[in-house]
């Protein structure tokens, strides 16, 4: 289906209701209901199932120095999620790629956090039957953000383990990227109460699962391990497996117990929002010698180098809309 534009892009970006204070929104460009809009104007109905029931899936890809990083993997995951949730878009993959490109190009951001969302939508009769809802697509590009700030990236994060259990995979398939975050947010508050900067929460068997917006890896005896069960298969986690293979580092997805985490040689977390980020304290206690380890540093370095590699990244053309 062709992308309909009821206003020109330029018109859309300049029209602004008087009551909107643009300073309260990050600078960026969104696409919804067939139009490109400033972030301050991108709003959904309170009747959308995405808002009322967290009935939505989404994906986040980043742009670094003018290039999308591994966009195809993010699109694969997004499409897989929509399929399993029985959602359909009026746009195909190529059209979504163009929309994402245009959001970034119009925003002018060289480094951006780019989200694509499909909500269940709503039905004109407020029907309780999800089959009657019209699915809605939203995309936006805002400035790049990271789980860890510069200082935390240099010295490593202090992460606390919360007793909170991640929603079971039999309830919500974690491979469908979703907004069921009450467990993760509770974990974050638990972590703050313990003096931590971020959190790891548990799977249904009491092993380590993941944190708010990130996966976790441990380094032990020169090999990598990451939780296998009850976690989102992160694209950055995927990239770590690819990098480990390239440099001959053994890596596996297995159960990771709390004891194994505490006894690790190194720990790092992975997210599109920040890449590979070192953790040097767990529950306030140093991980090994408490310094960012050599394996973590090497992987961080390789990961960022890949951002200019055309096999891993694609350039944005800022002069044109597609
Ligand atoms: N786990 C959860 C719950 C997430 O929400 C995210 C990203 O938002 C991740 C892990 C990391 O995934 P990715 O590396 O694809 O950003």
């Amino acid at each position: 289906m062709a992308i309909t534009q009821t206003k020109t892009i330029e018109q859309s970006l300049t029209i602004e209701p008087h009551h909107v204070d643009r300073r309260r929104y990050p600078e960026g460009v969104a696409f919804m209901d067939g139009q490109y809009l400033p972030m301050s104007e991108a709003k959904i109905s309170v009747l959308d199932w995405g808002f009322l029931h967290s009935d939505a899936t989404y994906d986040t890809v980043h742009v670094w120095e003018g290039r999308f990083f591994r966009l195809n993997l993010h699109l694969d995951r997004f499409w897989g999620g929509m399929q399993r949730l029985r959602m359909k878009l009026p746009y195909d993959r190529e059209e979504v790629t163009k929309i994402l490109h245009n959001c970034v190009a119009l925003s002018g951001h060289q480094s951006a956090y780019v989200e694509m969302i499909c909500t269940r939508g709503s039905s004109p009769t407020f029907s309780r039957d999800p089959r009657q809802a019209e699915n809605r697509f939203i995309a936006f590009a805002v400035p790049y953000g990271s789980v860890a700030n510069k200082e935390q990236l240099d010295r490593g994060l202090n992460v606390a383990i919360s007793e909170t259990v991640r929603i079971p995979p039999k309830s919500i398939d974690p491979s469908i990227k979703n907004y069921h975050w009450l467990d993760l947010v509770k974990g974050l508050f638990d972590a703050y109460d313990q003096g931590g900067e971020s959190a790891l929460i548990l799977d249904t068997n009491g092993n380590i699962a993941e944190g708010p917006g990130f996966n976790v890896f441990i380094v032990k005896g020169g090999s990598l391990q990451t939780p296998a069960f009850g976690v989102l298969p992160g694209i950055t986690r995927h990239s770590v497996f690819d990098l480990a293979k390239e440099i001959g580092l053994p890596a596996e997805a297995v159960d990771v117990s709390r004891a194994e985490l505490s006894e690790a040689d190194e720990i790092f977390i992975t997210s599109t929002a920040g890449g590979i980020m070192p953790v040097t304290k767990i529950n306030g206690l140093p991980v090994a010698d408490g310094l960012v380890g050599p394996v973590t540093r090497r992987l961080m370095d390789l990961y960022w180098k890949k951002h200019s590699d055309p096999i891993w990244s694609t350039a944005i053309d800022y002069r044109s809309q597609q």
Side-chain angles (χ1 to χ4, degrees):
M1 185 184 155
I3 301 160
T4 51
Q5 282 177 237
T6 49
K7 299 174 202 164
T8 65
I9 292 162
E10 289 72 20
Q11 275 171 341
S12 295
L13 290 174
T14 49
I15 292 167
E16 204 173 336
H18 292 301
H19 60 276
V20 173
D21 180 356
R22 277 185 83 169
R23 288 167 305 182
R24 296 180 62 199
Y25 294 85
E27 281 295 323
V29 171
F31 174 88
M32 62 188 300
D33 300 333
Q35 295 179 54
Y36 293 92
L37 303 159
M39 278 315 291
S40 52
E41 272 193 58
K43 297 185 174 158
I44 62 160
S45 162
V46 290
L47 296 181
D48 192 304
W49 284 53
F51 174 69
L52 290 178
H53 306 303
S54 289
D55 190 349
T57 187
Y58 74 111
D59 218 291
T60 307
V61 55
H62 70 223
V63 169
W64 191 251
E65 294 178 348
R67 304 177 72 85
F68 275 118
F69 190 61
R70 311 204 91 178
L71 177 58
N72 276 330
L73 295 181
H74 290 276
L75 290 170
D76 287 346
R77 187 170 64 182
F78 184 53
W79 246 268
M82 284 191 293
Q83 220 162 32
R84 268 166 285 152
L85 293 175
R86 302 181 193 213
M87 291 175 174
K88 276 206 178 74
L89 288 187
Y91 309 118
D92 63 20
R93 196 171 155 126
E94 204 181 316
E95 287 166 326
V96 166
T97 303
K98 284 182 185 169
I99 293 168
L100 299 174
H101 174 279
N102 291 347
C103 286
V104 179
L106 287 164
S107 77
H109 295 318
Q110 292 292 317
S111 295
Y113 179 95
V114 184
E115 201 155 317
M116 60 202 98
I117 305 165
C118 182
T119 70
R120 184 72 58 197
S122 52
S123 89
T125 59
F126 197 43
S127 162
R128 302 187 74 82
D129 182 343
R131 293 171 301 182
Q132 290 179 8
E134 277 175 40
N135 304 160
R136 167 172 278 129
F137 176 70
I138 305 164
F140 63 81
V142 291
Y144 182 74
S146 169
V147 172
N149 62 32
K150 166 93 178 69
E151 189 218 326
Q152 291 166 334
L153 287 172
D154 288 344
R155 64 154 158 86
L157 285 153
N158 175 11
V159 171
I161 302 172
S162 157
E163 295 301 319
T164 308
V165 173
R166 188 80 173 109
I167 197 164
K170 279 189 176 165
S171 305
I172 305 287
D173 176 350
S175 69
I176 303 172
K177 195 165 155 68
N178 64 72
Y179 292 124
H180 291 269
W181 266 52
L182 295 188
D183 45 9
L184 293 167
V185 173
K186 179 173 178 298
L188 210 39
F189 277 106
D190 289 346
Y192 295 150
D193 289 346
Q194 295 177 56
E197 293 168 317
S198 194
L200 280 168
I201 68 171
L202 307 176
D203 70 18
T204 42
N205 302 316
N207 292 311
I208 300 295
E210 60 187 342
F214 54 82
N215 296 112
V216 62
F217 280 81
I218 62 169
V219 183
K220 188 72 186 175
S223 68
L224 303 178
Q225 296 186 333
T226 188
F229 175 68
V231 300
L232 175 77
I235 305 299
T236 322
R237 176 179 182 266
H238 185 124
S239 296
V240 168
F241 277 103
D242 290 343
L243 294 173
K245 199 166 171 198
E246 247 183 61
I247 59 175
L249 205 62
E252 54 180 355
V254 289
D255 284 343
V256 175
S257 69
R258 298 159 76 147
E260 283 165 327
L261 188 83
S262 305
E263 289 157 16
D265 299 334
E266 297 177 33
I267 301 175
F268 58 84
I269 58 171
T270 61
S271 173
T272 296
I276 298 170
M277 297 165 275
V279 174
T280 47
K281 278 188 182 169
I282 289 289
N283 293 339
L285 297 172
V287 176
D289 61 4
L291 301 173
V292 179
V295 176
T296 306
R297 274 198 198 287
R298 185 168 181 207
L299 288 168
M300 286 169 78
D301 188 42
L302 284 172
Y303 173 80
W304 288 107
K305 279 198 176 124
K306 291 288 187 192
H307 284 66
S308 53
D309 180 339
I311 295 172
W312 290 55
S313 64
T314 38
I316 309 276
D317 181 357
Y318 287 88
R319 291 156 311 169
S320 79
Q321 276 92 58
Q322 298 180 347

